Amino acid sequence: MTVLHSSIDPRDSGFIARQQAYVQLIDQLHDRLDWALAGGGERMVERHHARNKLLARERIDLLIDPGTAFLELTPLAAWGLYDGQLPGAGIVTGIGTVRGTACMIIANDATVKGGSFYRETVKKHIRAQDIAAENRLPVLYLVDCGGANLNQMEEVFYDENHFGGTFYRQCRMSADGLPQLAVVFGECTAGGAYIPALCDEFVMVDGNASIHLGGPQIVRAAISEVVDRMDLGGAALHTFKSGVSDHIAPDERSALGRLRDMVGALDYTQPFEHKITAPRPPLFDVAEIPGIVGTDLSRPFDPREIIARLVDGSAFHEFKPDWGETLVCGFAHIEGFPVGIIANNGVLFAEACLKGTHFIELCDQRGTPLLFLQNTTGFMVGSEAEIGGISKHSAKLVYAMTNARVPRYTVITGSSYGAGNYGMSGRGFRPRFLFMWPNARLGGMNPDIGSAVLMDLRRGSINKGAANDEELARHEAELRRMFDEKSDPYFCTARLFDDGIIDPRDTRRVLGICLALGSMRPVQRPARPVYRM
């Protein structure tokens, strides 16, 4: 393959200024991640530890193989919502290796609202299960759950993708041969009880864990029976009397060790589907990406400079380099895994759409996964573009992308507006993973254009003299503020429109994990449900 060259001079004053501005965004990202890592706050953490309980991420650290990575997903879910009282939506999800097997891990954080499920908690839990199902990963539930938040019934109970949807997926995955295993660490009430009960096998921690469909308060109110939590559904009761639990452990570390043994007993091999080459580091420093991109979205950058810092040996076989220049397409490897890259180099014209369509079909034919690097304001508009068939050619790109049989991955590196988001494998088209950089913006329309369009409509809908210039200016400022707020990456990640905001310098490592998951040969097991009891 051709080795990419770079025209970047790290000593250039413009580069240095852009890098310094971007580092401020990265520092802000790390500050906000600290909010998520802090859980329910110092007082709740101390209370948790006083009960001889580990924090959710401490449990994960003990569960995964030493020295291996854990790819945490949407750690900033619920950022800016609920007055900041729901860090990470009260749940930690991500992919880690346990006894050599890649697993999806879903861990309740009981320091945050007792591990109760809010709207964003349900969405995050379901997203993790869907990733597990698509990549055929065993799911390990670290359960410490107070059930559904009763104050949000219309957000968590009634619909197909509400709390019941998590149990539906659990049952379907188990029946499809995807192992469902759990440890119960604390109180699991009502809907929370079904998480372990629907697992194939699980262990309870003696002294702290309990499972009951109705807690002591519900039992007293419903049938006037007075009983404490352990007598109602403690680990000893469910292990020695009811048979609901499969194992009992004296403490959390022992329970996690038992869960590791359960994974080891699965014999769940995950070989790679295709030949993998030896990884080679890029020739150019990934730390230079912030200085290349900068924080000004109106300033274009050459995506080849980014590709040169992501792919093995900076080697890139570009497809149709002299045609459809606003879309860069080509073949490369990342951490040894083959990948076809489609990256924006400006607005999408008809030629770029046809080029992208052709390239997607080639990747689909060859079984090469697709990586979309989004930085676009969308498809070209105007009479000339319409005469050139932009509506049909952009539809061809959307159709080819949607029906590609290979795994798709998306990173939003800058702007992602309107139908350009769709054509470049946005969230609505179900890429395996979608990540954003902290400078990125995602929305239905560029804030400048969107506010201008709505202002034109506003002016056309009012009677002459009904609004003065000052009122119109205030309205325009409010529209701009709304567009800016709703395209902000933290607004998006809080509502789980992505799988997380990542530091650009970590992109190669993150993509390496994702490509590895997509390259594993699917484990085929008999489609038979596990009937517990």
Side-chain angles (χ1 to χ4, degrees):
M1 289 188 186
T2 302
V3 175
L4 291 168
H5 298 283
S6 177
S7 61
I8 296 300
D9 180 4
R11 297 165 298 183
D12 176 72
S13 59
F15 176 91
I16 293 171
R18 290 191 298 272
Q19 189 171 51
Q20 290 175 342
Y22 205 109
V23 166
Q24 292 180 16
L25 293 183
I26 293 173
D27 290 342
Q28 180 187 63
L29 172 61
H30 291 162
D31 287 342
R32 294 181 177 186
L33 287 172
D34 287 343
W35 165 81
L37 294 174
E42 186 176 344
R43 185 177 68 85
M44 292 304 298
V45 168
E46 290 177 355
R47 181 179 176 185
H48 202 72
H49 282 153
R51 296 173 174 174
N52 296 317
K53 298 175 71 174
L54 299 167
L55 302 179
R57 292 178 181 84
E58 292 173 341
R59 292 165 180 164
I60 292 170
D61 286 342
L62 290 170
L63 176 62
I64 63 176
D65 294 343
T68 60
F70 176 68
L71 178 59
E72 185 170 346
L73 304 171
T74 48
L76 292 173
W79 166 264
L81 304 175
Y82 309 104
D83 296 322
Q85 299 302 305
L86 197 68
I91 193 171
V92 181
T93 64
I95 298 158
T97 303
V98 179
R99 288 293 183 90
T101 299
C103 300
M104 174 60 73
I105 301 171
I106 301 176
N108 303 113
D109 184 352
T111 70
V112 179
K113 305 297 183 182
S116 298
F117 275 67
Y118 284 65
R119 174 185 59 229
E120 291 74 21
T121 318
V122 173
K123 191 172 183 180
K124 186 170 177 177
H125 188 112
I126 282 178
R127 174 62 182 153
Q129 289 178 308
D130 287 347
I131 290 172
E134 187 168 32
N135 292 280
R136 297 199 64 80
L137 303 175
V139 185
L140 312 182
Y141 301 89
L142 307 186
V143 191
D144 207 344
C145 174
N149 172 22
L150 298 181
N151 293 319
Q152 275 197 340
M153 294 296 286
E154 73 282 8
E155 303 281 0
V156 301
F157 181 75
Y158 302 99
D159 212 347
E160 61 185 82
N161 283 328
H162 285 174
F163 202 15
T166 69
F167 307 136
Y168 171 83
R169 287 164 170 79
Q170 204 170 336
C171 295
R172 295 288 298 211
M173 283 192 286
S174 178
D176 197 32
L178 298 179
Q180 308 290 296
L181 308 174
V183 175
V184 181
F185 296 96
E187 184 173 4
C188 293
T189 305
Y194 283 112
I195 299 175
L198 287 171
C199 280
D200 308 330
E201 189 177 1
F202 73 91
V203 57
M204 295 180 72
V205 178
D206 193 22
N208 271 333
S210 62
I211 295 174
H212 28 65
L213 294 185
Q217 298 89 343
I218 295 176
V219 170
R220 183 170 64 251
I223 62 173
S224 300
E225 179 184 355
V226 178
V227 60
D228 68 28
R229 184 164 68 90
M230 290 303 162
D231 288 339
L232 182 63
L237 180 142
H238 280 314
T239 305
F240 302 122
K241 294 183 179 180
S242 74
V244 168
S245 173
D246 302 300
H247 309 278
I248 189 169
D251 53 51
E252 295 199 0
R253 287 175 171 78
S254 300
L256 291 165
R258 180 61 62 89
L259 180 56
R260 285 180 52 81
D261 290 344
M262 288 155 58
V263 175
L266 293 174
D267 190 28
Y268 200 83
T269 57
Q270 297 168 317
F272 292 128
E273 189 84 53
H274 304 291
K275 181 181 177 181
I276 309 302
T277 63
R280 293 177 294 152
L283 300 182
F284 305 101
D285 191 352
V286 69
E288 293 173 348
I289 290 179
I292 296 168
V293 176
T295 59
D296 181 4
L297 293 182
S298 67
R299 176 191 163 275
F301 59 86
D302 186 349
R304 295 173 188 85
E305 296 285 1
I306 306 303
I307 294 168
R309 289 158 177 80
L310 295 181
V311 303
D312 291 2
S314 300
F316 184 62
H317 174 60
E318 189 167 350
F319 176 72
K320 286 186 181 292
D322 302 312
W323 191 74
E325 295 178 356
T326 59
L327 197 66
V328 174
C329 304
F331 297 97
H333 288 77
I334 294 178
E335 297 287 6
F337 297 98
V339 63
I341 299 175
I342 301 180
N344 295 116
N345 194 27
V347 67
L348 289 164
F349 290 87
E351 295 86 354
C353 295
L354 291 173
K355 174 180 171 178
T357 300
H358 188 173
F359 183 72
I360 289 170
E361 290 173 345
L362 283 180
C363 290
D364 194 46
Q365 180 191 61
R366 300 174 185 180
T368 304
L370 286 158
L371 168 61
F372 293 82
L373 300 178
Q374 289 194 14
N375 180 26
T376 182
T377 54
F379 297 109
M380 190 59 189
V381 298
S383 58
E384 185 177 345
E386 295 298 345
I387 291 171
I390 188 66
S391 297
K392 188 64 174 178
H393 296 319
S394 62
K396 291 175 184 176
L397 178 64
V398 171
Y399 185 90
M401 176 273 300
T402 302
N403 290 292
R405 295 163 294 180
V406 295
R408 289 180 282 111
Y409 309 90
T410 303
V411 179
I412 302 178
T413 64
S415 299
S416 177
Y417 292 123
N421 169 271
Y422 292 171
M424 291 291 291
S425 188
R427 190 56 172 264
F429 292 84
R430 296 165 175 78
R432 293 280 181 110
F433 293 91
L434 185 149
F435 299 99
M436 299 180 73
W437 285 356
N439 65 300
R441 292 295 184 272
L442 169 62
M445 196 171 286
N446 174 290
D448 291 330
I449 297 173
S451 56
V453 168
L454 291 183
M455 279 305 298
D456 283 346
L457 294 173
R458 170 75 172 172
R459 291 187 180 98
S461 66
I462 61 178
N463 296 323
K464 187 176 181 180
N468 59 38
D469 290 342
E470 185 178 338
E471 290 171 333
L472 288 173
R474 280 199 302 268
H475 184 66
E476 185 172 15
E478 178 60 24
L479 286 174
R480 179 57 195 251
R481 186 203 62 77
M482 181 269 290
F483 275 107
D484 281 337
E485 175 188 340
K486 293 189 177 181
S487 63
D488 185 86
Y490 293 98
F491 180 94
C492 297
T493 202
R495 292 156 179 81
L496 291 103
F497 299 154
D498 64 6
D499 292 310
I501 301 172
I502 60 173
D503 185 331
R505 300 169 299 186
D506 293 332
T507 304
R508 175 176 160 85
R509 286 182 290 176
V510 169
L511 289 175
I513 294 172
C514 296
L515 289 166
L517 294 171
S519 298
M520 293 187 306
R521 184 180 303 138
V523 179
Q524 299 298 334
R525 294 285 176 89
R528 298 172 183 168
V530 175
Y531 293 105
R532 287 190 47 76
M533 299 183 244

